[in-house]
mmCIF file of all heavy atoms in Angstrom:
data_model
loop_
_atom_site.group_PDB
_atom_site.id
_atom_site.type_symbol
_atom_site.label_atom_id
_atom_site.label_comp_id
_atom_site.label_asym_id
_atom_site.label_seq_id
_atom_site.Cartn_x
_atom_site.Cartn_y
_atom_site.Cartn_z
ATOM 1 N N LEU T 428 -11.536 7.213 -24.973
ATOM 2 C CA LEU T 428 -11.328 5.906 -25.659
ATOM 3 C C LEU T 428 -12.654 5.240 -25.925
ATOM 4 O O LEU T 428 -13.559 5.288 -25.047
ATOM 5 C CB LEU T 428 -10.446 4.989 -24.769
ATOM 6 C CG LEU T 428 -9.013 5.454 -24.448
ATOM 7 C CD1 LEU T 428 -8.342 4.384 -23.616
ATOM 8 C CD2 LEU T 428 -8.272 5.722 -25.726
ATOM 9 N N ASP T 429 -12.769 4.589 -27.047
ATOM 10 C CA ASP T 429 -13.882 3.748 -27.344
ATOM 11 C C ASP T 429 -13.583 2.404 -26.732
ATOM 12 O O ASP T 429 -12.646 1.724 -27.137
ATOM 13 C CB ASP T 429 -14.038 3.658 -28.878
ATOM 14 C CG ASP T 429 -15.277 2.873 -29.274
ATOM 15 O OD1 ASP T 429 -16.115 2.673 -28.380
ATOM 16 O OD2 ASP T 429 -15.393 2.545 -30.439
ATOM 17 N N THR T 430 -14.290 2.041 -25.631
ATOM 18 C CA THR T 430 -13.848 0.859 -24.867
ATOM 19 C C THR T 430 -14.714 -0.348 -25.137
ATOM 20 O O THR T 430 -15.890 -0.263 -25.444
ATOM 21 C CB THR T 430 -13.913 1.144 -23.329
ATOM 22 O OG1 THR T 430 -15.245 1.520 -23.020
ATOM 23 C CG2 THR T 430 -12.978 2.205 -22.870
ATOM 24 N N GLU T 431 -14.103 -1.537 -24.976
ATOM 25 C CA GLU T 431 -14.842 -2.784 -24.871
ATOM 26 C C GLU T 431 -14.560 -3.313 -23.463
ATOM 27 O O GLU T 431 -13.436 -3.244 -22.990
ATOM 28 C CB GLU T 431 -14.279 -3.814 -25.863
ATOM 29 C CG GLU T 431 -14.371 -3.445 -27.317
ATOM 30 C CD GLU T 431 -15.764 -3.561 -27.894
ATOM 31 O OE1 GLU T 431 -16.689 -3.813 -27.127
ATOM 32 O OE2 GLU T 431 -15.928 -3.329 -29.082
ATOM 33 N N VAL T 432 -15.633 -3.724 -22.800
ATOM 34 C CA VAL T 432 -15.481 -4.162 -21.399
ATOM 35 C C VAL T 432 -15.897 -5.648 -21.319
ATOM 36 O O VAL T 432 -16.928 -6.060 -21.731
ATOM 37 C CB VAL T 432 -16.385 -3.338 -20.466
ATOM 38 C CG1 VAL T 432 -16.253 -3.819 -19.027
ATOM 39 C CG2 VAL T 432 -16.040 -1.862 -20.571
ATOM 40 N N GLY T 433 -14.985 -6.457 -20.737
ATOM 41 C CA GLY T 433 -15.286 -7.871 -20.490
ATOM 42 C C GLY T 433 -15.367 -8.100 -18.988
ATOM 43 O O GLY T 433 -14.618 -7.494 -18.212
ATOM 44 N N ARG T 434 -16.335 -8.894 -18.569
ATOM 45 C CA ARG T 434 -16.493 -9.166 -17.137
ATOM 46 C C ARG T 434 -16.607 -10.685 -16.928
ATOM 47 O O ARG T 434 -17.104 -11.395 -17.805
ATOM 48 C CB ARG T 434 -17.822 -8.586 -16.636
ATOM 49 C CG ARG T 434 -17.916 -7.092 -16.645
ATOM 50 C CD ARG T 434 -19.259 -6.677 -16.128
ATOM 51 N NE ARG T 434 -19.376 -5.242 -16.042
ATOM 52 C CZ ARG T 434 -19.587 -4.453 -17.115
ATOM 53 N NH1 ARG T 434 -19.770 -4.942 -18.298
ATOM 54 N NH2 ARG T 434 -19.675 -3.127 -16.937
ATOM 55 N N PHE T 435 -16.183 -11.120 -15.756
ATOM 56 C CA PHE T 435 -16.443 -12.496 -15.403
ATOM 57 C C PHE T 435 -16.594 -12.571 -13.883
ATOM 58 O O PHE T 435 -15.682 -12.195 -13.115
ATOM 59 C CB PHE T 435 -15.285 -13.441 -15.872
ATOM 60 C CG PHE T 435 -15.758 -14.885 -15.850
ATOM 61 C CD1 PHE T 435 -16.539 -15.397 -16.856
ATOM 62 C CD2 PHE T 435 -15.406 -15.712 -14.781
ATOM 63 C CE1 PHE T 435 -16.949 -16.739 -16.809
ATOM 64 C CE2 PHE T 435 -15.838 -17.007 -14.704
ATOM 65 C CZ PHE T 435 -16.607 -17.538 -15.725
ATOM 66 N N PRO T 436 -17.715 -13.128 -13.404
ATOM 67 C CA PRO T 436 -17.962 -13.208 -11.953
ATOM 68 C C PRO T 436 -17.334 -14.458 -11.346
ATOM 69 O O PRO T 436 -17.328 -15.504 -12.041
ATOM 70 C CB PRO T 436 -19.473 -13.281 -11.847
ATOM 71 C CG PRO T 436 -19.910 -13.924 -13.101
ATOM 72 C CD PRO T 436 -18.907 -13.602 -14.179
ATOM 73 N N PHE T 437 -16.812 -14.392 -10.141
ATOM 74 C CA PHE T 437 -16.157 -15.562 -9.562
ATOM 75 C C PHE T 437 -17.200 -16.629 -9.266
ATOM 76 O O PHE T 437 -16.833 -17.800 -9.107
ATOM 77 C CB PHE T 437 -15.409 -15.138 -8.279
ATOM 78 C CG PHE T 437 -14.046 -14.563 -8.559
ATOM 79 C CD1 PHE T 437 -13.853 -13.180 -8.546
ATOM 80 C CD2 PHE T 437 -12.997 -15.374 -8.942
ATOM 81 C CE1 PHE T 437 -12.622 -12.631 -8.840
ATOM 82 C CE2 PHE T 437 -11.778 -14.855 -9.242
ATOM 83 C CZ PHE T 437 -11.565 -13.473 -9.197
ATOM 84 N N VAL T 438 -18.481 -16.291 -9.185
ATOM 85 C CA VAL T 438 -19.476 -17.274 -8.891
ATOM 86 C C VAL T 438 -19.597 -18.301 -10.091
ATOM 87 O O VAL T 438 -20.093 -19.428 -9.884
ATOM 88 C CB VAL T 438 -20.868 -16.605 -8.570
ATOM 89 C CG1 VAL T 438 -21.501 -16.063 -9.851
ATOM 90 C CG2 VAL T 438 -21.779 -17.551 -7.860
ATOM 91 N N ALA T 439 -19.051 -17.947 -11.243
ATOM 92 C CA ALA T 439 -19.066 -18.865 -12.369
ATOM 93 C C ALA T 439 -17.713 -19.549 -12.577
ATOM 94 O O ALA T 439 -17.451 -20.191 -13.580
ATOM 95 C CB ALA T 439 -19.412 -18.093 -13.648
ATOM 96 N N ASN T 440 -16.824 -19.353 -11.570
ATOM 97 C CA ASN T 440 -15.444 -19.939 -11.664
ATOM 98 C C ASN T 440 -15.342 -21.153 -10.762
ATOM 99 O O ASN T 440 -15.651 -21.084 -9.553
ATOM 100 C CB ASN T 440 -14.442 -18.872 -11.238
ATOM 101 C CG ASN T 440 -13.027 -19.360 -11.093
ATOM 102 O OD1 ASN T 440 -12.635 -19.898 -10.092
ATOM 103 N ND2 ASN T 440 -12.240 -19.212 -12.156
ATOM 104 N N GLY T 441 -15.060 -22.306 -11.326
ATOM 105 C CA GLY T 441 -15.037 -23.580 -10.591
ATOM 106 C C GLY T 441 -14.189 -23.556 -9.329
ATOM 107 O O GLY T 441 -14.603 -24.013 -8.271
ATOM 108 N N ARG T 442 -12.979 -23.006 -9.466
ATOM 109 C CA ARG T 442 -12.043 -23.014 -8.317
ATOM 110 C C ARG T 442 -12.563 -22.117 -7.198
ATOM 111 O O ARG T 442 -12.420 -22.488 -6.006
ATOM 112 C CB ARG T 442 -10.662 -22.539 -8.795
ATOM 113 C CG ARG T 442 -9.596 -22.552 -7.714
ATOM 114 C CD ARG T 442 -9.267 -23.998 -7.291
ATOM 115 N NE ARG T 442 -8.368 -24.040 -6.194
ATOM 116 C CZ ARG T 442 -7.080 -23.947 -6.277
ATOM 117 N NH1 ARG T 442 -6.501 -23.871 -7.467
ATOM 118 N NH2 ARG T 442 -6.299 -24.017 -5.203
ATOM 119 N N ALA T 443 -13.133 -20.978 -7.567
ATOM 120 C CA ALA T 443 -13.694 -20.065 -6.543
ATOM 121 C C ALA T 443 -14.814 -20.769 -5.797
ATOM 122 O O ALA T 443 -14.886 -20.693 -4.516
ATOM 123 C CB ALA T 443 -14.200 -18.772 -7.199
ATOM 124 N N LEU T 444 -15.667 -21.452 -6.505
ATOM 125 C CA LEU T 444 -16.766 -22.163 -5.836
ATOM 126 C C LEU T 444 -16.266 -23.297 -4.997
ATOM 127 O O LEU T 444 -16.697 -23.501 -3.860
ATOM 128 C CB LEU T 444 -17.735 -22.704 -6.925
ATOM 129 C CG LEU T 444 -18.731 -21.712 -7.492
ATOM 130 C CD1 LEU T 444 -19.541 -22.394 -8.600
ATOM 131 C CD2 LEU T 444 -19.679 -21.184 -6.406
ATOM 132 N N ALA T 445 -15.233 -24.002 -5.536
ATOM 133 C CA ALA T 445 -14.653 -25.145 -4.796
ATOM 134 C C ALA T 445 -14.070 -24.670 -3.481
ATOM 135 O O ALA T 445 -14.066 -25.407 -2.484
ATOM 136 C CB ALA T 445 -13.616 -25.857 -5.630
ATOM 137 N N SER T 446 -13.568 -23.427 -3.451
ATOM 138 C CA SER T 446 -12.983 -22.921 -2.209
ATOM 139 C C SER T 446 -13.948 -22.021 -1.438
ATOM 140 O O SER T 446 -13.516 -21.331 -0.525
ATOM 141 C CB SER T 446 -11.705 -22.148 -2.451
ATOM 142 O OG SER T 446 -11.328 -22.092 -3.765
ATOM 143 N N SER T 447 -15.214 -22.047 -1.810
ATOM 144 C CA SER T 447 -16.246 -21.246 -1.128
ATOM 145 C C SER T 447 -15.831 -19.770 -1.057
ATOM 146 O O SER T 447 -15.960 -19.131 -0.034
ATOM 147 C CB SER T 447 -16.531 -21.748 0.290
ATOM 148 O OG SER T 447 -16.720 -23.111 0.271
ATOM 149 N N GLU T 448 -15.313 -19.252 -2.164
ATOM 150 C CA GLU T 448 -14.857 -17.852 -2.172
ATOM 151 C C GLU T 448 -15.338 -17.210 -3.470
ATOM 152 O O GLU T 448 -14.576 -16.823 -4.342
ATOM 153 C CB GLU T 448 -13.316 -17.796 -2.198
ATOM 154 C CG GLU T 448 -12.606 -18.317 -0.991
ATOM 155 C CD GLU T 448 -12.598 -17.302 0.167
ATOM 156 O OE1 GLU T 448 -13.124 -16.192 -0.039
ATOM 157 O OE2 GLU T 448 -12.066 -17.611 1.220
#
Side-chain angles (χ1 to χ4, degrees):
L428 297 182
D429 185 12
T430 56
E431 299 285 6
V432 179
R434 293 179 176 77
F435 195 80
F437 280 102
V438 74
N440 173 275
R442 182 66 186 277
L444 280 175
S446 359
S447 311
E448 296 278 1

